[in-house]
């Protein structure tokens, strides 16, 4: 499974992408509330954030990276603190980030998908034999 596919299916699902063409199509922007959900979900999966970029309307405000906080990308302390700092600085921002999704997580998810497909095929074969 590709990183973008994994993020779409597991992290961004049921959230509203606010990027209406002001940035590259591959970059998703979220409201403060939705981005808070993104942060909760990535913490559950052990996904990291390299950088966080908020926008006010069409303008970038600032960029915060994990090195600014002397933390690993996967340490939730840094990205929660950065998010809190941005919220204090300005309300109603649109948030984007660059994510670190491990190959191990992508492969594990892919293996789970394969196992589910195999189980569904086996069940279908049994049904067809009857």
């Amino acid at each position: 499974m590709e990183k973008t596919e994994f993020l779409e299916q597991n992290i961004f699902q049921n959230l509203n992408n606010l990027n209406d063409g002001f940035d590259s199509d591959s970059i998703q922007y979220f409201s403060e509330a939705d981005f808070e959900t993104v942060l909760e979900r990535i913490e559950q999966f052990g996904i990291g954030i390299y950088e966080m970029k908020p926008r006010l309307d069409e303008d970038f405000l600032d960029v915060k990276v994990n090195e600014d906080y002397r933390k690993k990308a996967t340490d939730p302390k840094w990205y929660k603190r950065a998010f809190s700092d941005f919220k204090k600085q300005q309300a109603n921002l649109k948030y984007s980030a660059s994510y670190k999704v491990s190959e191990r997580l992508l492969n594990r998810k892919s293996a789970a998908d394969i196992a589910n497909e195999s189980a569904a095929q086996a069940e279908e074969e049994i049904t067809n034999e009857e």
Side-chain angles (χ1 to χ4, degrees):
M1 176 176 289
E2 294 292 319
K3 175 180 161 180
T4 46
E5 184 183 2
F6 181 89
L7 291 170
E8 288 283 337
Q9 290 179 7
N10 298 287
I11 306 302
F12 304 151
Q13 186 177 21
N14 300 321
L15 300 177
N16 186 25
N17 179 8
L18 300 176
N19 184 355
D20 58 5
F22 59 81
D23 203 341
S24 169
D25 289 343
S26 63
I27 300 174
Q28 298 220 16
Y29 285 83
F30 300 100
S31 68
E32 186 175 295
D34 280 355
F35 196 67
E36 197 160 352
T37 301
V38 168
L39 296 182
E40 290 168 7
R41 291 176 181 175
I42 66 167
E43 184 176 5
Q44 290 172 349
F45 278 97
I47 294 171
I49 292 182
Y50 292 118
E51 66 179 13
M52 190 181 299
K53 291 191 223 176
R55 279 185 175 244
L56 180 61
D57 300 318
E58 305 301 313
D59 301 320
F60 279 116
L61 284 186
D62 193 6
V63 176
K64 294 195 185 288
V65 296
N66 63 300
E67 286 96 7
D68 293 342
Y69 294 81
R70 296 190 177 117
K71 300 287 184 190
K72 291 183 178 182
T74 54
D75 187 339
K77 289 177 189 167
W78 98 260
Y79 54 77
K80 287 180 178 180
R81 175 77 187 273
F83 183 57
S84 175
D85 291 347
F86 280 133
K87 289 192 309 185
K88 289 175 189 171
Q89 184 179 346
Q90 177 73 46
N92 299 318
L93 297 175
K94 298 175 185 175
Y95 292 89
S96 72
S98 61
Y99 303 93
K100 176 186 180 184
V101 182
S102 71
E103 287 298 318
R104 189 171 145 209
L105 184 59
L106 294 175
N107 292 337
R108 187 172 72 207
K109 179 62 178 166
S110 297
D113 289 343
I114 292 166
N116 288 337
E117 289 172 9
S118 297
Q121 286 175 340
E123 188 174 311
E124 185 176 314
E125 287 174 9
I126 291 170
T127 305
N128 290 340
E129 289 175 2
E130 294 174 352

